[in-house]
Amino acid sequence: MGSFFVQRLAQTIVVVLAAALVSFALFRYVGDPVNNMVGQAASMADREAMRRALGLDDPVILQFLRFLRGALSGDLGVSYRFGVPVGGLLMERFPATLELSVCAMLVATVLGIPLGVWTALHRRSVSSHVLMILSLIGVALPTFLIGIVLILVFSVWLGWLPSFGRGTVVSFGSWTTGLLTAGGLKALVLPSLTLGLFQMTLILRLVRAEMLEVLRADYVKFARARGLTNRAVNYRHALKNTLVPVVTIIGLQFGNVFAFSIVVETVFQWPGLGLLVIQSIQFADVPLLAAYLVMISLGFAALNLGVDLLYAAIDPRVRAGMMSKARV
Amino acid sequence: MSTNVVTRPQRWWDSDFVYDFRHSPVAIVATIVTVVLIAVALGADFVVPFNVNDPASANVVDARLPPGSSGMFGSNYLLGTDPQGRDMLSAVIFGLRTSLMVGGASVVLAAFVGILLGLVSGYIGGWLDALIMRIADVQLTFPAILIALLIDGISRTAMDRATHEALAIPVLVVAIAATYWVQYARTIRALVLVERDKDYVLAARVIGVSPLRILLSHICPNVLGPIVVIATINLALAILTEATLSFLGIGVPPTTPSLGSLVRIGNEFLFSGDWWISAVPGAMLVALSLAVNLLGDWLRDALNPRLSGR
């Protein structure tokens, strides 16, 4: 366990350092930082003085270490486009993205599990076949098209739901939430449905497959032989054992949901991190992109390390497997 | 003149693979759709009703006409027109060509790099193997779309505008390929590890065949089978990735129509009720990705010996 942890930690540190290096290279070599800060009228001497003051004539390795120290203390430079520190900008956008991702996962789980159970229990019914075909199409549908179709139907034609923004948000200090107002909740419906739909088809098919497997197991046959009601067998015995892999998938898919939130935020002009990063690419806002890169690599590294450790902590078989793998 | 002689075409026709295919309506339809779309894309210049790449074909008076309408000068627009008065059907066919070209090129690149690294990793082993597989492990912990987006976005920021305009499509191909090489590398490596110790490899080594020759002409042909399946499924994913990036405005340059960038243009006119400008390329994208996806799924099942005789 110990050696596994050390190896994973080392891997995580290497990944984050690599991302930081790319980010530093972007920051340092794309455009001239001095040019971006001083006006047109600055003399050569002024520029030289500024270059020295910023430490841009120090050895590169020293500059990189300084960049790392700055990044660790939350100082990641100033956005070209907004003229404010990027750390603050990213933090300001983070609640919107987190809220969207969590709601999408919730939609996927709340719809996916019952539908999966239904298709497993009523395997030969017409409704199950229709659901399975729809879930196949769901895989081939790109996320942005789902969003556009939902906007067309529910905003343009029916006029029921807003198609952009977060509606009214309530703020608690630096945290904002749209969960407490009617407008905020309405604005959340279409984006989280769009983002959650693909995950829902995934959960549906997983639950169906697991459930079919479990229903063939001996203990389920015995439960039936004991004369338990269908309901008790299906839900108390079968479903409970189906849910273990589902919980795992939800944890693993969270990173994917986060990535696709970039697409959904663009479709719905949702003011989160994803929209910010797309705009920073389009406007060549280097500091913002560099900071996002560091942040995202740190976030993903932490998420994966967390999932792995949790996994090992829960399941002794996984722990054994990982230890033997770590030795190779 | 025995009637029992089985001719070669007959044997091919009765083989498990072809039998499976003949009895799967899904596979037949998916293949037909895929082949027709590829043919249309390749022959785009000959099949389009209007040459939308020629500015003279745009008629601003005919802008944003719904499907089935005729223009001022008697042109018939089967699927309507876009904001510049260009025929949607023709625009979508050119878009299909770009999407298939970018998707196909990135699959070829990813397969080439992945197979090469997989062969090296499996046959040579040692620290090189460890390094390649660690990189693959790390990459798998990040979502593919995020990697493609960041590679594309960073190179876009790092180049000046003119350089990027010229290199946009190659950059896009590399960004997409970089996200999918891992699967090929891992599959090939696992297969090479099995083949490496077989007698025919040993025999070749004994008679002094060079390692490179052993890899390329002895091991390679024996491990390439599963690549077809991975490549087909990857093609669908690569097409969707290209469409997504182009929709976000960071894929193909604005002057090149691709299915994703066409949907992006249409998106701006959604609220004026002009649904077809995004719906037509959208529908084409879904048809293409669904057909290739189903074909890939079928191939995977048909070529998997464990599933045969279901």
Side-chain angles (χ1 to χ4, degrees):
Chain A
M1 189 65 201
S3 75
F4 165 71
F5 180 74
V6 170
Q7 201 192 2
R8 281 308 317 257
L9 198 66
Q11 195 171 316
T12 306
I13 291 172
V14 170
V15 172
V16 174
L17 276 181
L21 194 64
V22 173
S23 153
F24 166 74
L26 264 180
F27 204 69
R28 178 66 187 79
Y29 297 106
V30 175
D32 183 353
V34 173
N35 259 345
N36 290 317
M37 285 181 203
V38 299
Q40 291 283 325
S43 70
M44 281 317 269
D46 284 346
R47 284 165 195 260
E48 210 42 56
M50 182 129 194
R51 195 174 296 277
R52 213 164 306 132
L54 287 171
L56 290 177
D57 50 2
D58 289 341
V60 173
I61 181 79
L62 209 66
Q63 291 187 41
F64 179 55
L65 290 176
R66 201 182 299 134
F67 174 85
L68 279 183
R69 204 178 57 203
L72 284 177
S73 58
D75 173 20
L76 291 153
V78 174
S79 157
Y80 291 164
R81 190 163 151 247
F82 298 98
V84 293
V86 288
L89 266 178
L90 290 173
M91 277 301 120
E92 190 184 297
R93 296 294 192 99
F94 181 64
T97 298
L98 188 69
E99 202 166 282
L100 177 62
S101 305
V102 171
C103 285
M105 218 54 204
L106 215 63
V107 166
T109 320
V110 167
L111 292 177
I113 294 180
L115 290 178
V117 171
W118 173 268
T119 50
L121 293 182
H122 307 270
R123 204 144 58 100
R124 306 197 190 286
S125 73
V126 179
S127 58
S128 298
H129 283 292
V130 172
L131 274 172
M132 288 314 287
I133 292 171
L134 284 181
S135 85
L136 249 180
I137 297 174
V139 175
L141 266 179
T143 307
F144 66 90
L145 267 184
I146 299 176
I148 289 176
V149 170
L150 288 181
I151 288 181
L152 188 64
V153 175
F154 292 101
S155 304
V156 181
W157 288 347
L158 296 172
W160 289 352
L161 293 163
S163 64
F164 65 91
R166 284 183 84 186
T168 330
V169 293
V170 182
S171 39
F172 298 98
S174 61
W175 191 272
T176 54
T177 176
L179 292 173
L180 296 173
T181 61
L185 283 174
K186 268 175 103 173
L188 198 55
V189 175
L190 291 185
S192 39
L193 210 58
T194 307
L195 187 54
L197 216 60
F198 177 75
Q199 302 301 326
M200 189 206 83
T201 61
L202 206 68
I203 293 178
L204 186 159
R205 289 205 273 177
L206 183 72
V207 169
R208 178 178 178 274
E210 288 288 330
M211 190 95 177
L212 287 176
E213 190 103 342
V214 169
L215 283 176
R216 276 197 293 267
D218 284 342
Y219 69 89
V220 169
K221 277 185 203 146
F222 276 114
R224 282 197 207 287
R226 268 162 59 203
L228 294 182
T229 57
N230 267 338
R231 197 201 181 107
V233 174
N234 290 341
Y235 296 102
R236 217 162 301 147
H237 289 76
L239 181 60
K240 219 187 243 173
N241 286 292
T242 305
L243 290 183
V244 181
V246 175
V247 172
T248 316
I249 280 290
I250 291 174
L252 289 177
Q253 285 296 314
F254 204 80
N256 242 323
V257 169
F258 190 80
F260 274 98
S261 74
I262 298 175
V263 180
V264 175
E265 285 177 11
T266 308
V267 176
F268 290 94
Q269 293 297 300
W270 185 266
L273 285 173
L275 191 59
L276 191 67
V277 73
I278 291 295
Q279 287 166 347
S280 76
I281 291 174
Q282 279 160 350
F283 288 90
D285 193 341
V286 177
L288 196 52
L289 188 61
Y292 180 80
L293 192 63
V294 172
M295 202 192 84
I296 202 100
S297 68
L298 209 58
F300 267 90
L303 183 76
N304 284 310
L305 195 64
V307 168
D308 274 358
L309 290 179
L310 201 66
Y311 221 52
I314 292 172
D315 194 337
R317 283 171 305 178
V318 175
R319 197 153 59 223
M322 278 172 172
M323 279 174 74
S324 61
K325 201 171 150 196
R327 269 198 296 272
V328 171
Chain B
M1 283 297 118
S2 158
T3 50
N4 286 335
V5 172
V6 182
T7 57
R8 260 186 108 185
Q10 184 64 42
R11 210 165 54 196
W12 176 81
W13 183 250
D14 285 335
S15 69
D16 281 352
F17 183 75
V18 178
Y19 180 87
D20 240 24
F21 182 80
R22 283 187 289 137
H23 289 258
S24 165
V26 173
I28 295 173
V29 173
T31 308
I32 292 174
V33 173
T34 309
V35 169
V36 166
L37 289 181
I38 290 176
V40 165
L42 287 178
D45 292 314
F46 307 102
V47 296
V48 293
F50 299 87
N51 182 9
V52 286
N53 289 335
D54 175 12
S57 86
N59 248 325
V60 187
V61 282
D62 287 350
R64 291 155 63 191
L65 293 174
S69 39
S70 342
M72 280 280 276
F73 308 106
S75 328
N76 269 315
Y77 303 114
L78 193 62
L79 294 176
T81 60
D82 76 350
Q84 268 96 50
R86 289 178 301 194
D87 178 45
M88 277 312 300
L89 177 63
S90 316
V92 163
I93 290 174
F94 281 115
L96 179 70
R97 179 161 74 177
T98 312
S99 291
L100 270 170
M101 202 176 70
V102 172
S106 40
V107 167
V108 170
L109 184 62
F112 180 75
V113 173
I115 291 170
L116 205 67
L117 291 179
L119 285 173
V120 168
S121 204
Y123 193 71
I124 298 175
W127 65 271
L128 203 58
D129 174 40
L131 180 70
I132 294 172
M133 285 301 118
R134 277 301 86 73
I135 293 173
D137 283 349
V138 166
Q139 215 190 304
L140 283 179
T141 62
F142 289 85
I145 183 88
L146 192 68
I147 297 175
L149 192 137
L150 286 175
I151 294 178
D152 191 54
I154 288 171
S155 40
R156 178 176 288 259
T157 321
M159 295 173 187
D160 59 78
R161 197 164 281 272
T163 322
H164 184 267
E165 201 85 330
L167 288 177
I169 288 184
V171 165
L172 190 59
V173 168
V174 171
I176 298 173
T179 62
Y180 294 118
W181 68 273
V182 174
Q183 258 183 306
Y184 299 95
R186 287 187 140 198
T187 311
I188 290 289
R189 175 179 177 273
L191 293 169
V192 169
L193 285 181
V194 174
E195 296 294 315
R196 193 174 60 172
D197 299 324
K198 285 195 177 163
D199 286 345
Y200 72 91
V201 176
L202 205 64
R205 219 181 308 168
V206 167
I207 59 170
V209 180
S210 74
L212 191 69
R213 180 95 189 268
I214 293 180
L215 254 188
L216 294 183
S217 54
H218 295 267
I219 293 183
C220 208
N222 285 310
V223 296
L224 285 183
I227 294 304
V228 181
V229 176
I230 301 180
T232 314
I233 293 172
N234 262 353
L235 180 62
L237 286 173
I239 288 168
L240 287 186
T241 308
E242 182 276 326
T244 302
L245 292 181
S246 299
F247 172 78
L248 293 176
I250 56 174
V252 298
T255 45
T256 317
S258 94
L259 294 177
S261 64
L262 288 171
V263 175
R264 176 187 171 81
I265 296 169
N267 197 23
E268 291 164 26
F269 296 89
L270 214 54
F271 285 91
S272 351
D274 301 346
W275 52 271
W276 63 92
I277 306 177
S278 47
V280 171
M284 180 67 103
L285 181 60
V286 173
L288 179 63
S289 101
L290 195 59
V292 178
N293 236 320
L294 289 174
L295 191 61
D297 275 356
W298 176 81
L299 269 177
R300 186 184 49 200
D301 293 347
L303 294 177
N304 186 347
R306 262 179 302 168
L307 286 177
S308 66
R310 276 162 300 171

